Amino acid sequence: DGDDEEDDEEDNEVPPLTTNRYGRVLCTPSRLSYSELGRAAIKMSKAEHAYFETINELRGATEFAFVGAGLGEGIQHTSQLKVKTYEEAMSSPDKDEWEKSVDEEHQHMVDNEVFMAIPKDQVPKDANIIDSTWAMKMKADGTKRARMAARGFKQKAGVSFDPEDIMSPVVGDIVFKMLLVMTLMAGWMAYVVDVKGAFLKPKFDDKHQVYMKVPKGFEKYYPKNCLLLLMKTLYGTKQAAKRFWQMLLMLMTAMGFKINRVEPCVYFKWTEEYGLIVWTSFIDDMIIFGKPEGVMAYKQKFIEQVDCDDVGPLKEYLGCKVDVNLAEKKAKITQPVLLRSLDEEYPLESYKGS
């Protein structure tokens, strides 16, 4: 009997899940419904109970974290949020909306002077010519977004980029969580801004030239016998991420911030009026930490220099939902859309206990 009691206690314990060095779970709990588990008389661990409770909470709900927006009521299935190809979008019933988003993307490129048309007979014979692709995506609020990107994997090393000039740092998840803890302890505000068209702002250096074929959907704007010479680091080009980080570093330095020696995407500034202000960047997603009045003051200074989406207090970040409760000094990071998409693609009811 004593051995049976010990076995029961072990069954109720959370099993040691396999994790990587960042603490992410590598093995997932089994996908079995409550009714199936009951009929099979299988005991569930606390971790499995938590998983099923989360799935059940998601079913029927209408709002989820999804990169800056709630999942609107017009979206019935998370598969609608998956990226489409240009051909898929243009053959869909929403073709007119997608065409409008393509035209908006072209105007955005023109406004940022991303490229210029060059007749083919004026292009050097040894020029590196690449093509492009489209990411047609429905946002979580139901609006359509067309993103044109260069196929940078066709760039030639030494011709259109230097091999050592393609890496860009991002803030680490451990640092992000540490700053969340500091926010709870100090009663700070965490505020999000998102740079619009981040990769369309930095310029290529003079010694590297990249030519691109006219993208699908842009043909009506340009002569048939021409190529586009890239003037700015378009999405997908090898140098884009690093060029933007370098531009951001110059902006932060001009605002009086210092770069952290260990984390190159953490910038900080001690001020007499507001105390410590900490700024982090994950490519174009920025979070400002500090006293509310200080955060708002430096957010405004940044927006005056760079065109940004003023997202607001931290609620969602990199596809995760973030709940910060200063009163209870608690923070919770979850991925409800990911869980729901897994449940819709692999329904729990379709798996039976053996």
Side-chain angles (χ1 to χ4, degrees):
D1 292 341
D3 292 338
D4 292 339
E5 289 178 3
E6 289 180 3
D7 291 340
D8 289 341
E9 290 178 1
E10 290 178 358
D11 288 338
N12 289 326
E13 292 179 356
V14 178
L17 300 177
T18 303
T19 60
N20 62 14
R21 63 193 183 97
Y22 296 107
R24 293 193 179 99
V25 176
L26 299 180
C27 62
T28 57
S30 58
R31 300 175 183 277
L32 301 172
S33 68
Y34 271 127
S35 58
E36 288 165 350
L37 286 167
R39 288 196 300 270
I42 300 174
K43 294 181 180 180
M44 288 196 299
S45 69
K46 291 179 182 179
E48 289 169 325
H49 271 294
Y51 173 77
F52 288 117
E53 287 171 1
T54 303
I55 286 294
N56 289 330
E57 288 174 3
L58 292 177
R59 289 175 171 174
T62 58
E63 286 196 3
F64 300 87
F66 198 88
V67 193
L71 187 60
E73 293 185 6
I75 297 177
Q76 304 299 322
H77 198 285
T78 53
S79 61
Q80 293 175 257
L81 302 176
K82 292 184 177 180
V83 178
K84 299 178 182 292
T85 65
Y86 182 87
E87 290 74 17
E88 289 172 340
M90 293 305 166
S91 62
S92 71
D94 301 326
K95 177 183 176 182
D96 292 342
E97 293 182 54
W98 286 117
E99 286 181 341
K100 182 181 178 181
S101 65
V102 168
D103 291 338
E104 290 174 352
E105 178 75 346
H106 176 262
Q107 188 58 50
H108 195 45
M109 301 278 178
V110 172
D111 292 342
N112 284 277
E113 300 178 341
V114 175
F115 41 63
M116 62 184 296
I118 303 292
K120 287 185 178 180
D121 58 7
Q122 296 182 20
V123 176
K125 293 182 178 180
D126 59 348
N128 189 183
I129 302 173
I130 63 175
D131 53 5
S132 59
T133 187
W134 283 94
M136 316 293 276
K137 184 175 178 61
M138 181 187 291
K139 290 186 177 181
D141 59 4
T143 59
K144 310 291 193 299
R145 185 190 72 183
R147 174 66 59 80
M148 192 271 288
R151 302 181 77 187
F153 61 87
K154 292 190 174 183
Q155 287 181 252
K156 296 178 181 178
V159 177
S160 59
F161 73 96
D162 291 327
E164 67 275 6
D165 194 32
I166 61 175
M167 302 300 292
S168 173
V170 295
V171 66
D173 56 347
I174 295 176
V175 174
F176 169 63
K177 292 172 184 177
M178 181 190 72
L179 287 169
L180 274 184
V181 173
M182 292 174 65
T183 298
L184 297 173
M185 294 175 65
W188 282 355
M189 169 187 275
Y191 200 94
V192 181
V193 293
D194 184 6
V195 178
K196 294 181 180 179
F199 289 0
L200 305 183
K201 302 182 186 302
K203 298 179 180 180
F204 277 107
D205 54 45
D206 296 333
K207 67 177 182 177
H208 293 127
Q209 288 189 332
V210 181
Y211 291 86
M212 184 176 71
K213 297 177 183 177
V214 176
K216 296 176 182 178
F218 285 7
E219 296 94 342
K220 60 184 177 181
Y221 297 108
Y222 301 98
K224 290 184 178 180
N225 196 33
C226 80
L227 294 172
L228 301 179
L229 172 62
L230 299 187
M231 311 300 292
K232 302 287 183 66
T233 54
L234 181 66
Y235 307 107
T237 54
K238 295 283 189 179
Q239 305 96 319
K242 184 172 182 178
R243 285 287 181 272
F244 175 73
W245 175 71
Q246 290 172 333
M247 187 191 79
L248 177 64
L249 183 56
M250 288 189 291
L251 286 172
M252 300 307 298
T253 302
M255 291 171 60
F257 282 80
K258 295 182 179 180
I259 186 172
N260 184 281
R261 293 182 180 180
V262 178
E263 283 283 343
C265 286
V266 174
Y267 320 91
F268 64 95
K269 182 177 182 179
W270 289 97
T271 66
E272 292 184 6
E273 187 175 1
Y274 307 120
L276 178 64
I277 304 293
V278 182
W279 196 297
T280 68
S281 65
F282 193 104
I283 310 297
D284 57 345
D285 293 307
M286 319 284 174
I287 305 181
I288 317 167
F289 299 88
K291 291 182 179 179
E293 57 272 22
V295 167
M296 299 308 290
Y298 279 93
K299 180 265 296 185
Q300 189 59 39
K301 289 182 180 180
F302 186 78
I303 288 179
E304 289 173 358
Q305 300 181 66
V306 183
D307 188 17
C308 295
D309 281 325
D310 190 344
V311 178
L314 176 64
K315 293 182 180 179
E316 298 163 13
Y317 183 61
L318 303 179
C320 296
K321 183 178 179 182
V322 184
D323 295 308
V324 179
N325 189 324
L326 292 178
E328 297 183 5
K329 296 189 181 299
K330 292 181 180 180
K332 183 179 181 181
I333 304 174
T334 55
Q335 291 182 288
V337 168
L338 177 61
L339 281 175
R340 176 166 173 175
S341 65
L342 288 172
D343 184 43
E344 289 176 345
E345 189 171 357
Y346 308 104
L348 296 174
E349 287 76 11
S350 65
Y351 292 82
K352 296 183 179 180
S354 56

